[in-house]
Amino acid sequence: MRIAFCGAQGTGKSTLVPLLSEQLGLPVLNKTTQEIMDEFGFKSQNDILKDPAGAGVEFQRAMIKSRHDFFLEKNKSGIIDYITDRTPLDSWAYYLVHNSYYASDDISDELNKIVKDSSKYFDYVVTLRPGLFEIQNNGVRNTKVYYQKTIHTIIQGNAIDLGYRLIEVPSSVLSIEDRVDWIVDHVKTMEEIKLNFANSKGI
């Protein structure tokens, strides 16, 4: 069972992951944005946005590649049960918004293929709708609501073509406890369906 959260900043992904990890008995695996930001000497998202045509393109390129390679290596080593709060699809959305205008088609084609290939490392991809809560400013993320909604829309618009089947938590499910319960119930139901199908086919 490989579960990923995908979506805009400040929607609660990092809050839910450790709780679901405990509920489902899954280890948390992450290739964080901060790790790559440190390599580039960036302190916040504003630093990335200062040079979208140069350092910005290279940052998102490194982000997408490193996340793909991180989960590639985990799967190669036999780790096939985990939960994470980021996917290459997230980085692809930010790249499309900020950097794709400046990058060559060759770079965009390369990154598109990497993001699409990455989808095979996630069985369930959960997304959370932005704008339901006040976004906490941690000094790194952008906290503008309409910006988050734009990122969310771009993720949704690209998900199917890139092989990501998103599970969106209903906006009516608001409390942390209810969100955890909803996701656990959904995943367990899907696992039962898969098991019953496999049994019916004699797999």
Side-chain angles (χ1 to χ4, degrees):
M1 191 188 300
R2 302 170 300 179
I3 301 175
F5 277 76
C6 178
Q9 304 164 337
T11 53
K13 301 186 298 295
S14 299
T15 299
L16 293 175
V17 162
L19 300 174
L20 286 162
S21 169
E22 184 177 353
Q23 281 264 19
L24 296 169
L26 298 174
V28 178
L29 299 184
N30 278 328
K31 182 67 176 180
T32 68
T33 303
Q34 191 62 55
E35 291 177 69
I36 307 300
M37 287 177 63
D38 289 344
E39 292 178 17
F40 279 76
F42 294 149
K43 300 299 182 185
S44 71
Q45 190 175 16
N46 287 334
D47 292 335
I48 303 169
L49 298 178
K50 287 176 181 176
D51 182 16
V57 169
E58 289 308 310
F59 171 80
Q60 292 297 358
R61 197 178 191 182
M63 194 73 258
I64 290 170
K65 284 183 173 182
S66 65
R67 282 189 172 146
H68 171 275
D69 293 349
F70 177 79
F71 289 104
L72 168 66
E73 292 305 316
K74 295 299 181 184
N75 279 264
K76 275 186 175 180
S77 65
I79 300 173
I80 54 172
D81 294 289
Y82 49 78
I83 186 167
T84 183
D85 66 0
R86 288 290 186 278
T87 74
L89 181 58
D90 300 74
S91 300
W92 177 244
Y94 289 103
Y95 169 82
L96 290 176
V97 169
H98 299 295
N99 313 111
S100 60
Y101 175 83
Y102 305 100
S104 68
D105 286 344
D106 287 342
I107 290 176
S108 294
D109 287 344
E110 171 201 12
L111 297 180
N112 184 274
K113 289 177 183 176
I114 293 172
V115 176
K116 188 170 186 176
D117 187 66
S118 302
S119 66
K120 65 188 178 188
Y121 301 125
F122 312 111
D123 301 312
Y124 302 101
V125 183
V126 181
T127 185
L128 305 166
R129 184 175 292 276
L132 300 178
F133 309 101
E134 182 179 351
I135 302 170
Q136 298 300 313
N137 191 339
N138 63 359
V140 176
R141 65 165 66 114
N142 187 307
T143 60
K144 297 181 185 299
V145 173
Y146 285 95
Y147 176 73
Q148 311 305 338
K149 289 181 177 179
T150 298
I151 296 296
H152 181 77
T153 299
I154 290 173
I155 286 173
Q156 288 188 311
N158 283 269
I160 293 177
D161 287 344
L162 294 172
Y164 290 76
R165 296 177 179 176
L166 300 183
I167 302 165
E168 184 169 302
V169 178
S171 56
S172 58
V173 181
L174 293 175
S175 76
I176 293 173
E177 294 80 8
D178 288 346
R179 286 182 161 200
V180 169
D181 289 343
W182 188 93
I183 295 166
V184 168
D185 289 344
H186 187 90
V187 168
K188 286 184 174 179
T189 298
M190 295 302 295
E191 286 291 294
E192 288 177 9
I193 291 171
K194 284 165 59 177
L195 181 60
N196 291 335
F197 178 79
N199 289 336
S200 71
K201 298 297 182 181
I203 301 174

